[in-house]
Structures are given as structure tokens and as C-alpha cells.
Amino acid sequence: MKYLFSLMLLAACMLTANKLFGQAEKPAYKRIADKFESFYNEAKYDSIFAMFSPEMAKALPADQASEFLSGLRSQTGKITKRQFVKYEMTYASYKTNFDQAVFAVNISVDKNEQINGLFVKPFVESTLPIMQRNTTKMKLPFNGQWTIVWGGDTKELNYHVESQAQKNAFDILITDAKGSTHKNEGVFNDDYYAFGQEIIAPCDGEVIMAVDGVKDNKPGEMNPVYLTGNSVIIKTTNNEYLLFAHFKNHSVAVKEGQKIKQGTLLGHCGNSGNSSEPHLHFHIQNVENMNIATGVKCYFEKLMVNGKEQTDYSPIKNDRVENIH
């Protein structure tokens, strides 16, 4: 049985992408999870196998899938209750009550609504801190006027809402009077107004991660291997973790363990990591590890928004923002 659990975990990890989703159960996942539960309780393991993607079926043939599922059922019984908990990478994780045990059943679904990842592990209640918003007073992490290209609480305003850790993230860049982010044809990073601009600490804190040495992308290209590229994480005294991503190569100006003050230079805006043009990605999370963290909504103490002064404000898409000096 232990061997089978390990086999399923291996197959699942091999077949799914390194991507984060949100915390509201998606309809496609619910449909597949409902079918999985029904077929499992009816011991229709071939029907579950028929739900596998071609890659999953190749990695985990029908006989091995049947052996695992029948072994699980013989030792734990039928599923009596299933509750969606969260997303982990591409997996929807369900607290699943069986007749004789409680497990986390994790299912990943591709765009064709086929299972491309499946594993079961003991269910452990989360002990991570719950944090709705920042309590540390912050200013914007840059000088001058920048534009929020993604920010807000809905998918229309902010595609990051589909990510557990990044759901309250901002993507921020500089635009001109015509709304363009670059001069000339935008072929080179130096064409972009944000490229090379100073990124500063929005508050006091301690640098707990500083990554440099990732090459800047050519505009229009991305580096999904190093998602955040050159990046910095700051921990505040209130245990908020501030993540800054996509710094210019060799520009990160702080080191791990360094105590910093509000306004300290962190580095220069770049185009490294999973970025198609120079911009700043900034968000707050409740723990350091981005793979298990939950995003925290960020409010800035005092700033100008579209020419008007705002206090305790969280910017949204298309806001033009700058600090009040």
C-alpha cells in the first residue's frame, strides 16, 4: 500500500505544471471530483481510469491505477464526505472522509477536464496564520507616478486572484500620456519606462530572501523556470512577508539578514523571470513559502491616486499612483 501511494504521488508530480490557482472551487474540478467519488464508491475503477489524460494513463496504466484504488478502498472503505479545502499547485485538495480514515484527496484537471494528477495523503489541518490585510503602515515601493496594470479583487481587474499566494498581488509599470509602456518599438528592455527604475522598501523590515543573477528576458519572451526572477522578500515586525519580483539582473542591492528602513533601495526594476516586459510584481503573503502561502490584501497609508489624495487605499487596475512627499 505504501508503495502504491508513492507511485501515485510520483505520477501526479510528473504530469502537472508549476502553477498556482485560487481558493474557490472551480466548476470543472467539482464535476470531476463528483464523478471520481461516485465511480470510486461503486468500485468502477476502469471508469476512473477513463477520466485520465493520455499522459496520466501512460504514466499510470490501468492495472496499476486499479490496484491502487482497490487497495485504498479495501483499507479505508467508501467515501462518506468530501469538502474542498484549497488548491496546492494545480491540485484541488479535498478533505475526504472514508469509512475508516480521513485523507486529503488531491486532483489536478487539465483544460479538457481530464485528470492529469491524482494523489492521496493524510489530511492535516492547516496551522498557518490567517491574515486579511497588512497592519504595517506602507508607502508605495517606488518614486514617481506608476500605473497599476493588474490589481483588485476580481478576475477582470486582477488575474492574480486565481493564485492562492498571489491573489492580492499588483503588477505595476510606467506609462506615458498615451498609455504606452515604452518608447520606440519596445524591442529592447531599455525602451520601457520602468526598466532600471529604483524599487524601494515600503516599510521597515528584515530581508529574508534576496535572489540575483537571473538574466533579463527579451521583451515578449518569458522565463517560467525562475518564476519570480531576481527577487526580494522582506519580513515585517508584524510577520507580513513582502515579495518583490522581476528585478533587473545584478541590481538587487540588499542581502539576506539585512535590517532595512522604509525607503531603502532594494534594486532596480527589470524583466527577469516569468515576465514579458519590465514591471514590478509586488504582493504580501502570510508565510515565507510561496507554495503554501495565502495572499494578503495590501493597503498603502497615504498616496495620490489618479490625481486625488487617498488614505489607507488598495489600488486597482488602471490606477495611476504615486507617493505623497
Side-chain angles (χ1 to χ4, degrees):
M1 187 69 173
K2 183 177 180 181
Y3 163 76
L4 289 171
F5 271 91
S6 298
L7 178 62
M8 290 295 280
L9 176 59
L10 175 62
C13 289
M14 287 170 56
L15 292 170
T16 54
N18 186 14
K19 184 178 179 183
L20 293 172
F21 282 86
Q23 297 303 286
E25 184 183 15
K26 295 178 180 293
Y29 278 80
K30 186 178 187 308
R31 287 191 292 270
I32 295 301
D34 285 344
K35 288 182 181 179
F36 175 86
E37 179 179 334
S38 177
F39 290 147
Y40 173 84
N41 283 342
E42 295 170 9
K44 294 182 177 179
Y45 309 130
D46 288 343
S47 296
I48 292 177
F49 180 77
M51 298 165 64
F52 285 4
S53 68
E55 295 80 9
M56 183 72 175
K58 182 178 180 180
L60 194 70
D63 58 341
Q64 294 182 13
S66 179
E67 183 183 359
F68 167 75
L69 293 166
S70 62
L72 177 65
R73 194 168 184 272
S74 67
Q75 293 191 36
T76 63
K78 295 182 179 180
I79 296 173
T80 59
K81 183 180 179 181
R82 188 187 80 248
Q83 177 185 359
F84 171 76
V85 178
K86 61 181 179 179
Y87 282 93
E88 296 180 352
M89 305 297 279
T90 59
Y91 296 93
S93 182
Y94 297 91
K95 178 181 179 181
T96 308
N97 294 75
F98 294 81
D99 289 328
Q100 302 171 37
V102 179
F103 285 103
V105 175
N106 299 271
I107 300 174
S108 177
V109 177
D110 65 17
K111 62 182 180 180
N112 297 315
E113 294 198 16
Q114 294 180 313
I115 295 175
N116 65 348
L118 172 67
F119 70 95
V120 180
K121 63 181 181 180
F123 180 81
V124 179
E125 294 284 358
S126 175
T127 58
L128 299 180
I130 298 173
M131 193 179 300
Q132 299 299 327
R133 57 156 294 165
N134 58 299
T135 55
T136 301
K137 293 182 179 180
M138 297 188 189
K139 70 176 186 178
L140 294 165
F142 44 76
N143 296 309
Q145 186 183 82
W146 291 52
T147 299
I148 307 296
V149 65
W150 291 109
D153 296 327
T154 67
K155 186 176 180 180
E156 290 72 26
L157 294 173
N158 193 357
Y159 81 96
H160 295 104
V161 298
E162 293 192 336
S163 162
Q164 177 184 349
Q166 303 178 60
K167 65 178 182 177
N168 298 116
F170 302 106
D171 280 343
I172 318 171
L173 40 67
I174 299 176
T175 56
D176 60 22
K178 296 180 180 179
S180 177
T181 61
H182 57 81
K183 58 186 178 182
N184 303 322
E185 298 299 320
V187 175
F188 305 103
N189 283 318
D190 286 331
D191 290 340
Y192 290 79
Y193 303 122
F195 190 71
Q197 295 296 316
E198 292 186 349
I199 305 301
I200 57 177
C203 61
D204 297 353
E206 179 184 354
V207 177
I208 60 169
M209 187 189 81
V211 175
D212 206 347
V214 180
K215 293 182 179 179
D216 288 290
N217 307 318
K218 295 180 180 178
E221 298 181 3
M222 302 173 78
N223 181 353
V225 176
Y226 300 100
L227 294 177
T228 57
N230 302 306
S231 49
V232 171
I233 296 180
I234 297 172
K235 180 182 179 182
T236 71
T237 56
N238 295 316
N239 294 319
E240 301 143 336
Y241 294 81
L242 285 56
L243 188 148
F244 307 80
H246 312 312
F247 285 94
K248 181 180 178 181
N249 192 20
H250 300 313
S251 80
V252 174
V254 292
K255 296 181 179 180
E256 184 178 333
Q258 181 178 343
K259 300 292 179 64
I260 59 172
K261 295 291 185 180
Q262 185 182 68
T264 298
L265 176 66
L266 301 179
H268 296 267
C269 183
N271 191 27
S272 59
N274 203 39
S275 170
S276 58
E277 71 170 272
H279 75 285
L280 169 66
H281 171 102
F282 168 69
H283 74 261
I284 304 176
Q285 54 195 46
N286 63 336
V287 294
E288 177 181 355
N289 187 344
M290 193 171 173
N291 291 319
I292 61 173
T294 297
V296 178
K297 190 165 184 177
C298 178
Y299 290 79
F300 297 100
E301 181 183 13
K302 188 178 292 186
L303 68 164
M304 296 294 292
V305 181
N306 302 321
K308 297 182 180 180
E309 184 174 326
Q310 297 283 355
T311 301
D312 197 37
Y313 182 79
S314 185
I316 63 173
K317 183 178 181 179
N318 294 327
D319 278 349
R320 289 175 175 254
V321 298
E322 58 184 311
N323 283 310
I324 296 176
H325 297 286

